[in-house]
């Protein structure tokens, strides 16, 4: 998977105390990448942007 140019970010609600967080890169065309902030080399998930938006919307309703 091509990760060149991915601009990774964590949630603004994440703390800086080493908690379990995910990082998201949503700046690449046609895909949203997600990885574990504590294991950045451990693998990356790839989502269609529409599927990612649906996931985020569902999480926000909980």
């Amino acid at each position: 998977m091509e990760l060149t140019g991915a601009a990774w970010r964590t949630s603004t609600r994440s703390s800086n105390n080493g908690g379990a967080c995910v990082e998201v890169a949503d700046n690449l065309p046609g895909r949203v990448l997600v990885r574990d902030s504590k294991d950045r080399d451990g693998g990356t998930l790839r989502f269609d942007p529409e599927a990612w938006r649906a996931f985020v919307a569902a999480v926000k309703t909980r």
Side-chain angles (χ1 to χ4, degrees):
M1 179 183 316
E2 181 63 41
L3 302 178
T4 303
W8 295 99
R9 62 181 175 79
T10 57
S11 170
T12 56
R13 296 178 187 228
S14 296
S15 65
N16 291 326
N17 64 2
C21 299
V22 296
E23 294 178 326
V24 177
D26 57 2
N27 66 306
L28 300 172
R31 62 186 170 220
V32 176
L33 306 175
V34 180
R35 69 181 180 187
D36 183 345
S37 64
K38 293 181 128 187
D39 186 12
R40 292 178 175 151
D41 295 324
T44 302
L45 299 173
R46 178 181 174 171
F47 296 91
D48 174 82
E50 186 173 316
W52 181 252
R53 283 189 296 272
F55 170 75
V56 171
V59 169
K60 287 181 177 182
T61 63
R62 298 206 175 253

